Amino acid sequence: MKQQPEDERYQDSFGRSLRALSEYMGLGVQIAASFVFFVLAGYWADEKLGTSPLLLLAGVFMGMAGMVLVLMKTLRIANRKKKG
């Protein structure tokens, strides 16, 4: 194995760390956006139909289900990458 100068190894690992960090931040934004979307949609529907808080609660549960689906998809992709 070829030895790299210490500065080059640091930059390579730093780049990989930033890439991984950006993937996880993207995952967090995706989870938060799906949850907020369903909660706000439930709130809006409650205001229009006067069914407070039924549709808001439905939105919360749908948002949670969306979060679980996003996490399951991410875990499936990570397992595929790990297995190679």
Side-chain angles (χ1 to χ4, degrees), residues 35-55:
F35 186 74
V36 168
F37 172 77
F38 284 111
V39 169
L40 290 178
Y43 179 77
W44 176 81
D46 270 339
E47 291 292 315
K48 292 293 181 187
L49 301 174
T51 57
S52 184
L54 296 177
L55 296 176

Side-chain angles (χ1 to χ4, degrees), residues 9-23:
R9 282 185 289 172
Y10 176 75
Q11 289 174 351
D12 186 39
S13 65
F14 183 71
R16 282 189 302 227
S17 297
L18 279 179
R19 208 170 307 123
L21 179 65
S22 68
E23 287 179 20

Side-chain angles (χ1 to χ4, degrees), residues 56-67:
L56 174 64
L57 292 174
V60 168
F61 288 119
M62 289 178 73
M64 283 190 226
M67 290 188 316

Side-chain angles (χ1 to χ4, degrees), residues 65-81:
M67 290 188 316
V68 168
L69 291 174
V70 167
L71 286 174
M72 287 174 53
K73 176 184 170 187
T74 303
L75 287 173
R76 208 174 307 125
I77 291 171
N79 283 337
R80 273 192 224 136
K81 285 181 182 179

Side-chain angles (χ1 to χ4, degrees), residues 19-33:
R19 208 170 307 123
L21 179 65
S22 68
E23 287 179 20
Y24 289 121
M25 286 180 67
L27 175 65
V29 168
Q30 191 175 12
I31 288 172

